[in-house]
């Protein structure tokens, strides 16, 4: 049995058959880099990281392309508002390119903490303006796009008969629903911008055959996916909020030009809510990863995300996060005991009961990447491991075999690392801080306040704050 994937295009689970096996071309819409990454990013990119890992583990040669949106994404998400990056640049008194690079670095930094592998190609929209102009020019020549008297260029949606095949929206609905946002020079309300003319005050603009302007948001993904993968992609991923208008528009732009199917499997992760409501800056429940990582280990967040299936809504709350931490620690303790026992060993032969559990794990992953089931199977294998560990004559070869399978399941496929962190044992940094706290305690007992204050102040300078309690001294790290 091979891999099955729920395809948003057909709304069904389908057998996964890439265009040119064993090669797989996978494109996932990347972040718009105008602020630090939030919980929604963590979910989406963890999901696609696991997909990427599982496909690779299954023997596919995957090229994973992810874009960086550094121009064209407007605050209104359609064709209205100002550019998100340019707006942030004004706020921070920086150049747009400084903003884009700052938050791109910040994004990859957060993704690394979550043990998310880098894509094979990370490409920036601003590096592909020439290709975008070529693509738009070809759409105009084919009659799918038009230039207005204001030098804006729109895709004429009515000319593309398959519009709506992904989102299920029919044109009339779109028309009435989006009427409020009609730009003055569009022929029809549903038409979307491929290129917009820029006035002098605009911070990011390029020369084009239609004068100075900047690209619309959707065009970059059609152009960069074609450049780095081809006219037909095996997998295109993104958050469910990208289905409309972004992915619907991508299909129109790409298929109108090539006449070929743009995507074989469209995969969308469901949304993330916070305490039952949509997360939003204006709602006051917006969670930035850098803030969250001060409270929880990134690996616990990854574990938490994967406990839900990617097509379910994930509702984040402190309580459910703490419950996940308990489960994570239980798993970590069991795995640590196993690794301690089997360190530096290699197994010989196979064990049928272990293989059976392992194949259940693979089956769960093959079945539309069912990570919650896969995680429950790991618990099953750990039960077997604990039973073996508790025997007086435990079979070290079997334990080694189990530990090798656990490494594949956790490190390789789910990307959850347990073996680097020793359960119940503090890391070196914690040990050093504890040692300094102990020294400070002694100085204080000797009434050597000069030394005890030096320790406290030096730690403070390093971002480590000591808090003296009644019984002991606790600390926080910024
Ligand atoms: Zn995209």
């Amino acid at each position: 049995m091979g891999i099955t994937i729920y395809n948003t295009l057909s709304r069904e689970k389908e057998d996964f058959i890439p265009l040119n096996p064993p090669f797989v071309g996978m494109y996932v819409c990347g972040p718009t880099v105008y602020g630090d990454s939030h919980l929604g990013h963590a979910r989406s990119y963890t999901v696609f990281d696991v997909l990427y890992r599982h496909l690779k583990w299954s023997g596919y040669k995957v090229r994973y392309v992810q874009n960086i949106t550094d121009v064209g994404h407007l605050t209104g998400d359609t064709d209205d508002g100002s550019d998100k990056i340019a707006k942030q640049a004004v706020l921070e008194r920086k150049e747009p390119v400084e903003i884009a690079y700052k938050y791109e670095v910040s994004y990859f930094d957060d993704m690394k903490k979550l043990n998310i592998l880098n894509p094979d190609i990370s490409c920036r929209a601003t590096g592909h303006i020439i290709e975008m102009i070529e693509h738009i020019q070809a759409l105009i020549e084919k009659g799918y796009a038009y230039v207005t008297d204001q030098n804006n260029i729109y895709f004429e949606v009515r000319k593309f008969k398959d519009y709506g095949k992904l989102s299920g929206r029919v044109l009339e609905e779109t028309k009435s629903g989006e009427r409020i946002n009609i730009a003055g020079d569009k022929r029809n309300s549903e038409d979307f911008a491929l290129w917009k003319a820029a006035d002098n005050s605009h911070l990011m603009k390029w020369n084009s055959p239609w004068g100075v302007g900047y690209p619309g948001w959707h065009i970059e993904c059609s152009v960069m996916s074609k450049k780095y993968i081809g006219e037909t992609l095996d997998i295109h991923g993104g958050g469910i909020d990208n289905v409309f208008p972004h992915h619907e528009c991508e299909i129109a732009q790409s298929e109108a030009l090539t006449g070929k199917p743009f995507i074989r499997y469209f995969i969308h992760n469901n949304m993330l809510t916070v305490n039952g409501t949509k997360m939003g800056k204006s709602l006051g429940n917006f969670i930035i990863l850098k803030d969250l990582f001060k409270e929880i280990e990134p690996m616990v967040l990854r574990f938490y995300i994967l406990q839900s299936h990617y097509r379910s809504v994930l509702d984040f709350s402190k309580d459910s996060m703490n419950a996940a931490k308990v489960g994570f620690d239980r798993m970590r303790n069991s795995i640590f005991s196993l690794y301690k026992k089997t360190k530096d060993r290699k197994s010989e032969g196979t064990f049928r009961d272990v293989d059976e559990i392992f194949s259940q794990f693979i089956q769960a992953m093959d079945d539309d990447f069912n990570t919650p089931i896969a995680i429950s199977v790991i618990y099953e294998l750990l039960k077997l491991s604990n039973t073996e560990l508790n025997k007086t004559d435990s079979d070290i070869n079997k334990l080694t075999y189990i530990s090798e399978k656990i490494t594949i399941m956790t490190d390789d496929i789910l990307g959850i690392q347990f073996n680097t962190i020793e359960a119940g044992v503090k890391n070196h940094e914690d040990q050093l801080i504890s040692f300094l706290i102990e020294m400070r305690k002694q100085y204080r007992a000797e009434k050597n306040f000069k030394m005890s204050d030096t320790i406290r102040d030096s730690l403070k300078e390093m971002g480590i704050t000591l808090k003296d309690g009644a019984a002991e001294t606790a600390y926080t790290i910024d």
Side-chain angles (χ1 to χ4, degrees), residues 62-158:
V62 189
R63 177 179 289 170
Y64 178 9
V65 180
Q66 195 186 91
N67 63 308
I68 294 285
T69 299
D70 55 355
V71 69
H73 194 166
L74 305 185
T75 48
D77 271 343
T78 49
D79 296 336
D80 59 333
S82 52
D83 187 289
K84 290 185 175 187
I85 288 156
K87 193 179 163 200
Q88 190 63 27
V90 173
L91 276 175
E92 294 192 28
R93 292 172 179 267
K94 286 185 156 109
E95 285 291 322
V97 69
E98 285 179 285
I99 292 298
Y101 188 61
K102 173 182 167 184
Y103 291 113
E104 180 184 319
V105 170
S106 162
Y107 163 73
F108 280 114
D109 179 49
D110 292 336
M111 295 303 111
K112 197 174 172 195
K113 290 199 175 94
L114 283 164
N115 198 28
I116 289 172
L117 300 170
N118 282 338
D120 299 297
I121 296 175
S122 164
C123 42
R124 298 176 188 152
T126 52
H128 299 77
I129 301 289
I130 292 168
E131 290 92 334
M132 290 189 219
I133 290 172
E134 283 169 3
H135 193 115
I136 296 166
Q137 187 78 56
L139 285 173
I140 295 170
E141 282 162 17
K142 284 194 132 190
Y144 285 103
Y146 58 91
V147 189
T148 72
D149 54 2
Q150 293 175 32
N151 287 331
N152 293 321
I153 299 165
Y154 295 102
F155 186 94
E156 191 162 6
V157 168
R158 274 153 205 261

Side-chain angles (χ1 to χ4, degrees), residues 27 29 221 246-247 250:
Y27 185 95
C29 292
C221 290
H246 187 52
H247 289 162
E250 282 184 23

